[in-house]
């Protein structure tokens, strides 16, 4: 079936796709680089570069980030079309709240810079409803398909999504329930066919 993937991070700014073996290296300097998509992650198999006779002045590998640091992200995987459409969102939420949710929005129309409208469909991060005190919604995966919880039947929600451009947004109920909602992180745009 048709499959597209996208990932973004750090408070809604686009982040680079996960890469295995090439994050800190210049791919142009490597021989025999082969990349392919696997579970919505770009994976690259890189041959080891030939040894250089000239020593490197600058370290070739950047220092790693603080291993305890948390960076919010939302990743979207789309498969199928029409009634067989599934949209999976994988997310990390560094400051989770019980009423956090993921919405699937049409891409921003020209002239708008914020999502001041309701999503086409949404799910609580705990799927069945608002998270309880013992629920961990700091990271997870949500499946949007033809078998959604009852609460998605109310309002102006629609599924399956019509063909077009969309974006997944991890949001938070903060005050009245009207757009524009508090945005935790915005994913990359993706296409439904």
């Amino acid at each position: 079936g048709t499959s597209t993937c996208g990932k973004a991070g750090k408070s809604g700014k686009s982040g680079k796709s996960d890469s295995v073996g090439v994050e800190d290296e210049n791919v142009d300097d490597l021989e025999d680089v082969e990349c392919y998509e696997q579970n919505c992650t770009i994976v690259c198999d890189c041959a080891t570069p030939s040894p250089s006779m000239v020593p490197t002045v600058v370290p070739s590998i950047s220092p790693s980030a603080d291993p305890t640091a948390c960076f919010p992200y939302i990743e979207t995987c789309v498969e199928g079309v029409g009634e067989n459409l599934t949209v999976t969102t994988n997310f990390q939420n560094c400051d989770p709240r019980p009423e956090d949710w993921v919405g699937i929005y049409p891409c921003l129309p020209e002239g708008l810079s914020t999502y001041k409208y309701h999503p086409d469909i949404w799910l609580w991060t705990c799927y069945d409803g608002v998270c309880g005190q013992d629920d961990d919604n700091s990271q997870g995966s949500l499946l949007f398909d033809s078998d959604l919880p009852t609460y998605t039947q109310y309002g102006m929600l629609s599924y399956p999504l019509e063909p077009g451009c969309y974006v997944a947004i991890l949001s938070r109920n903060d005050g009245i329930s009207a757009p524009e909602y508090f945005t935790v992180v915005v994913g990359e745009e993706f296409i439904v066919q």
Side-chain angles (χ1 to χ4, degrees):
T2 305
S3 178
T4 61
C5 301
K7 180 173 181 174
K10 284 197 179 179
S11 302
K13 296 179 181 165
S14 291
K16 66 180 181 178
S17 296
D18 287 341
S19 299
V20 175
V22 295
E23 282 186 359
D24 300 311
E25 297 176 357
N26 184 346
V27 176
D28 295 333
D29 294 337
L30 300 176
E31 299 174 8
D32 302 318
V33 176
E34 180 181 341
C35 297
Y36 56 96
E37 287 186 354
Q38 179 181 27
N39 297 329
C40 293
T41 302
I42 303 300
V43 178
C44 294
D45 294 325
C46 303
T48 306
S50 303
S52 169
M53 298 304 283
V54 180
T56 305
V57 177
V58 179
S60 60
I61 297 177
S62 304
S64 61
D66 177 0
T68 61
C70 181
F71 299 100
Y73 72 83
I74 189 161
E75 175 182 66
T76 307
C77 300
V78 179
E79 294 183 314
V81 295
E83 294 296 322
N84 295 319
L85 176 69
T86 61
V87 178
T88 304
T89 60
N90 302 309
F91 64 89
Q92 178 165 301
N93 187 355
C94 302
D95 183 27
R97 308 282 170 83
E99 292 188 358
D100 290 348
W101 52 279
V102 172
I104 305 293
Y105 289 80
C107 293
L108 281 175
E110 200 168 317
L112 286 182
S113 60
T114 59
Y115 295 88
K116 293 185 178 185
Y117 49 90
H118 292 287
D120 279 9
I121 194 71
W122 65 277
L123 290 170
W124 294 112
T125 54
C126 287
Y127 191 79
D128 291 322
V130 174
C131 298
Q133 283 186 312
D134 296 331
D135 292 326
D136 179 11
N137 64 334
S138 61
Q139 60 183 3
S141 182
L142 296 172
L143 176 65
F144 294 83
D145 63 8
S146 59
D147 187 27
L148 293 169
T150 307
Y151 65 82
T152 64
Q153 297 173 6
Y154 305 104
M156 301 178 62
L157 304 175
S158 64
Y159 199 88
L161 300 170
E162 295 292 322
C165 179
Y166 293 90
V167 63
I169 300 177
L170 177 60
S171 297
R172 170 166 298 143
N173 274 3
D174 188 29
I176 61 171
S177 182
E180 157 186 17
Y181 299 100
F182 179 84
T183 299
V184 176
V185 65
V186 176
E188 290 185 11
E189 294 179 349
F190 62 92
I191 301 298
V192 170
Q193 299 187 11

